[in-house]
Amino acid sequence: MRKYILCALSGLLMTSCIDTQVLPDDMIVDDDYWKTREDVSMMVAGAYKGMVSSDAVQRFIVWGSARSDEFNPTTSISINDDTYDNLEEMNTGNMDNQNVYANWGALYTVINRCNQVLDKAAQVMQNDPSYTQATYLTDRSQMLALRSLAYFYLVRAFRDVPYVSQAYFNSSQDMYPVQQAPGVVLQHCIDDLTEALESPLSPTGYTDWRKCGLITSDGIHAILADIYLWRASMTHSAADYQACVDHCQAVIDSRKQAYPNDAVGTQLSEYPLLDGNEAYYDIFSFGNSQESIFELQVNGGNAGYNTGLSTMYWSYKNAAGAGYLEPSSNVFSSASTTTAYLSTNDYRYYENCFDVGGTEGSTVTVRKMLYLQAARETSLPADRALSKGGGLNRAGNTYSNMSQNWIVYRLTDILLMQAEAMVQLAASDTDSKLGQAFNIVQAVNSRSLDVNSLGTDSLKYENYTGKEAMEELVLAERLRELCFEGKRWFDLLRYNYRHVEGVDITKTMAEILDGGAVSSYPVANSSQMLDLMVRKYLEGGSSARYKISHEPMLYFPVAQSEIQANHNLKQNPAYDNQDIYNRN
């Protein structure tokens, strides 16, 4: 039997391998494997599958949403386990370097799989004539893009991370890389994504769902737009904001070309958006909608189930009740509809949460992405909208077999990123770019309103005069449109960076601080962001503000296990007083 190895880094060390036959150190096995087109295809598929593993999806949710004003650890059921404790510690600002979500191994596993393809795929062309140059370039582009996306998640969660472009095949290789500053890692990502755009990305034979399930040129533009928006927020770079606008426009133009004749309602004719009373079902229940840019495929059966999503939002241990996280009551409950929603005529008010407004009970839990199976398996009702009386109930899904794709990018996300960048490019409170940004927000908002209420509930430009008001409008609309999709914490961090000065992305936090106390760190977080952040605390907000007062506190610690295993790693200064473990 042919031996092969598909090694995965646990953190940055190959302390274990998955999907492997365990082989002795230093055995040369990789050349025995990379022989056929099918070998490469399996490795490419494995990289994508790693992105939708339970560990990865949980981190997309926790890193991107859990620390924000969207969520608190659930109170609707009693949970007593380590995972819940880790989330509670994070929520109260008492996280330490043993927190399970400080482990970055799931993303470095994906990175190593991408690196293996990038290192070895070219040689397959010499062995298998069916593996053509065009197919190789497509595979290379996919892996460059997926690796960049993984690194982008890591930069947003940890700021300073090791950048590894070499594949690990055996445990004798040097596995002690140092952390790089965010400016270095993000530039690597931009360079790789730019190269990926130059290669073919849509070979013939892809079915419609695979156009969403693989990173196409639209997906690369989306990642680039997001990276440029992040970097621009940190450095206040007009050039990066413009790059974000341009890459967003490339996606918008592509979607217009792909769907030129869709009837989407008169108020939405500028963009190919689904009608409001169809959007929930098409985007979340069925998946791979015309608005999807890139979503990780979890269609059940051989394609697996989205256990990470289920664990966080639906059932923490495959049992009735709730997941580990629930919407924060001050943002999504009926008592504070004006905080998140402009009107209860907004379909999303009912689609995003169960029990909102007390229509089905008293406890608000996540509904978005959870009502799936019945909608897929039965014909849709004549009126596809969720009713304002409570609409769909929890029936129709099972606790362990959650077959919801994880959506990484969709069109409204792209539109609102473009609006956010346009606001920052505005030179004054009367700049026409503010009007352009408003029109985008209005399009996204209006499609989610009951058409019978547009006259009273549609946005009016005169209510959002000036750059500051427009910035806050875009941020609020992103909360309404993209809640629970792993976006909100990153949105708040960008908002924070735009309101502070002196951020240095060319140095790591340890280099900036150089042994000083975190209280002397040169970048203190903005009061505007902290005001938003502490909304979820019914009490104790002042303590929460103190615990995230400076930039290092916005990021996760380096896990204790990584510090012990790699002597080159430096702890996030906000947690350096915990660096008391034996590193030998």
Side-chain angles (χ1 to χ4, degrees):
M1 177 182 297
R2 184 175 60 169
K3 292 185 177 181
Y4 67 90
I5 188 167
L6 175 59
C7 287
L9 295 172
S10 175
L12 289 175
L13 298 185
M14 290 199 309
T15 56
S16 66
C17 291
I18 63 175
D19 299 334
T20 73
Q21 298 177 34
V22 178
L23 299 172
D25 290 354
D26 301 315
M27 181 175 285
I28 305 302
V29 296
D30 47 286
D31 286 335
D32 292 336
Y33 177 73
W34 298 92
K35 298 295 186 183
T36 68
R37 176 176 180 167
E38 289 71 25
D39 292 341
V40 180
S41 296
M42 190 184 80
M43 294 293 291
V44 170
Y48 276 100
K49 189 173 182 179
M51 286 291 280
V52 78
S53 68
S54 179
D55 283 350
V57 173
Q58 284 190 50
R59 277 152 184 79
F60 299 156
I61 292 170
V62 172
W63 293 349
S65 287
R67 297 182 72 188
S68 76
D69 56 343
E70 281 186 344
F71 279 120
N72 281 310
T74 188
T75 57
S76 54
I77 52 177
S78 176
I79 301 176
N80 183 20
D81 66 17
D82 290 341
T83 300
Y84 184 83
D85 291 343
N86 288 166
L87 291 168
E88 184 63 32
E89 289 166 2
M90 187 188 313
N91 193 55
T92 57
N94 296 314
M95 180 167 47
D96 61 31
N97 57 18
Q98 298 181 74
N99 191 288
V100 66
Y101 295 108
N103 185 300
W104 55 31
L107 274 294
Y108 277 106
T109 293
V110 172
I111 289 166
N112 195 52
R113 291 178 180 177
C114 293
N115 286 341
Q116 288 177 329
V117 176
L118 293 168
D119 276 8
K120 294 296 182 180
Q123 73 185 39
V124 176
M125 288 187 287
Q126 302 171 12
N127 301 316
D128 185 350
S130 70
Y131 191 59
T132 65
Q133 178 79 3
T135 304
Y136 163 68
L137 290 175
T138 295
D139 289 339
R140 179 174 175 81
S141 296
Q142 298 287 325
M143 296 297 93
L144 288 171
L146 196 64
R147 184 177 71 181
S148 297
L149 179 62
Y151 273 123
F152 187 38
Y153 272 111
L154 289 165
V155 167
R156 289 178 292 177
F158 294 91
R159 191 186 188 276
D160 308 330
V161 298
Y163 182 82
V164 182
S165 58
Q166 173 193 14
Y168 290 104
F169 291 96
N170 62 73
S171 57
S172 68
Q173 293 172 263
D174 178 13
M175 294 172 287
Y176 306 104
V178 300
Q179 289 137 303
Q180 301 289 339
V184 175
V185 179
L186 294 178
Q187 188 59 55
H188 281 307
C189 294
I190 289 170
D191 293 343
D192 284 347
L193 290 163
T194 301
E195 177 187 338
L197 273 178
E198 298 172 355
S199 297
L201 288 166
S202 298
T204 58
Y206 283 3
T207 59
D208 286 344
W209 72 263
R210 288 196 65 168
K211 291 179 182 176
C212 300
L214 299 177
I215 300 178
T216 63
S217 57
D218 284 357
I220 293 177
H221 282 297
I223 301 169
L224 277 166
D226 210 357
I227 290 175
Y228 276 119
L229 184 60
W230 180 268
R231 193 171 73 173
S233 300
M234 296 184 84
T235 64
H236 307 176
S237 166
D240 280 355
Y241 280 124
Q242 186 60 54
C244 172
V245 170
D246 294 342
H247 284 290
C248 288
Q249 192 61 46
V251 177
I252 295 166
D253 291 343
S254 172
R255 292 294 143 150
K256 287 180 178 180
Q257 183 177 8
Y259 302 98
N261 300 315
D262 283 355
V264 292
T266 56
Q267 80 277 13
L268 305 176
S269 58
E270 187 175 354
Y271 304 107
L273 297 175
L274 294 161
D275 190 80
N277 65 353
E278 297 182 354
Y280 178 90
Y281 290 96
D282 286 349
I283 294 170
F284 300 112
S285 290
F286 294 106
N288 302 304
S289 73
Q290 71 179 50
E291 293 188 23
S292 181
I293 308 299
F294 175 48
E295 55 188 86
L296 297 163
Q297 305 296 310
V298 190
N299 293 322
N302 291 335
Y305 296 101
N306 200 336
T307 55
L309 177 68
S310 177
T311 296
M312 289 292 109
Y313 294 167
W314 184 241
S315 57
Y316 75 103
K317 285 186 177 177
N318 294 337
Y324 280 110
L325 296 171
E326 65 184 15
S328 58
S329 59
N330 68 307
V331 175
F332 292 103
S333 74
S334 60
S336 42
T337 56
T338 56
T339 302
Y341 299 95
L342 299 174
S343 167
T344 55
N345 289 314
D346 192 325
Y347 289 126
R348 297 168 299 187
Y349 177 64
Y350 302 93
E351 293 166 349
N352 289 340
C353 296
F354 283 112
D355 307 325
V356 67
T359 54
E360 296 169 358
S362 58
T363 302
V364 178
T365 56
V366 175
R367 166 186 261 152
K368 193 177 197 178
M369 297 180 282
L370 301 185
Y371 186 84
L372 304 170
Q373 310 287 36
R376 283 178 170 166
E377 295 169 3
T378 63
S379 59
L380 291 171
D383 180 5
R384 289 152 60 99
L386 298 183
S387 73
K388 295 175 186 176
L392 303 175
N393 58 34
R394 289 180 173 82
N397 215 332
T398 57
Y399 297 113
S400 59
N401 297 339
M402 179 65 66
S403 56
Q404 164 65 43
N405 294 344
W406 180 256
I407 300 174
V408 182
Y409 292 108
R410 54 192 182 94
L411 184 55
T412 51
D413 187 5
I414 304 303
L415 290 169
L416 293 171
M417 280 198 281
Q418 187 179 63
E420 184 176 326
M422 282 182 169
V423 170
Q424 297 310 309
L425 287 170
S428 69
D429 286 345
T430 58
D431 195 307
S432 62
K433 291 184 178 64
L434 297 180
Q436 295 171 13
F438 174 82
N439 290 339
I440 293 172
V441 174
Q442 187 178 49
V444 174
N445 183 265
S446 296
R447 81 88 170 263
S448 293
L449 296 180
D450 187 326
V451 294
N452 296 319
S453 64
L454 287 179
T456 57
D457 291 330
S458 59
L459 298 173
K460 295 179 176 60
Y461 181 68
E462 58 267 25
N463 293 335
Y464 300 94
T465 57
K467 188 171 179 176
E468 181 179 349
M470 198 63 64
E471 178 186 28
E472 292 174 357
L473 173 63
V474 174
L475 183 66
E477 188 63 28
R478 285 186 63 85
L479 174 60
R480 290 186 283 270
E481 177 67 15
L482 302 168
C483 65
F484 315 144
E485 295 182 45
K487 306 285 184 179
R488 179 62 174 177
W489 178 246
F490 300 147
D491 289 355
L492 289 177
L493 293 197
R494 290 198 309 274
Y495 180 79
N496 174 69
Y497 278 122
R498 290 196 297 267
H499 291 270
V500 299
E501 300 291 340
V503 174
D504 187 349
I505 67 170
T506 68
K507 295 181 179 179
T508 66
M509 292 182 290
E511 290 171 336
I512 292 170
L513 196 55
D514 194 23
V518 175
S519 58
S520 64
Y521 195 86
V523 179
N525 294 325
S526 74
S527 60
Q528 295 98 319
M529 186 277 284
L530 294 174
D531 288 343
L532 292 170
M533 178 61 211
V534 302
R535 291 188 301 173
K536 69 177 181 178
Y537 300 103
L538 298 180
E539 57 185 27
S542 59
S543 174
R545 291 174 70 99
Y546 173 77
K547 291 177 180 178
I548 54 172
S549 61
H550 287 75
E551 184 187 10
M553 301 172 182
L554 300 175
Y555 295 96
F556 280 81
V558 179
Q560 172 197 352
S561 58
E562 302 295 345
I563 293 287
Q564 289 178 300
N566 181 354
H567 60 276
N568 285 328
L569 294 178
K570 304 295 183 183
Q571 184 57 269
N572 178 335
Y575 308 91
D576 203 37
N577 62 334
Q578 300 166 358
D579 192 13
I580 58 176
Y581 304 99
N582 184 358
R583 294 164 58 115
N584 299 319

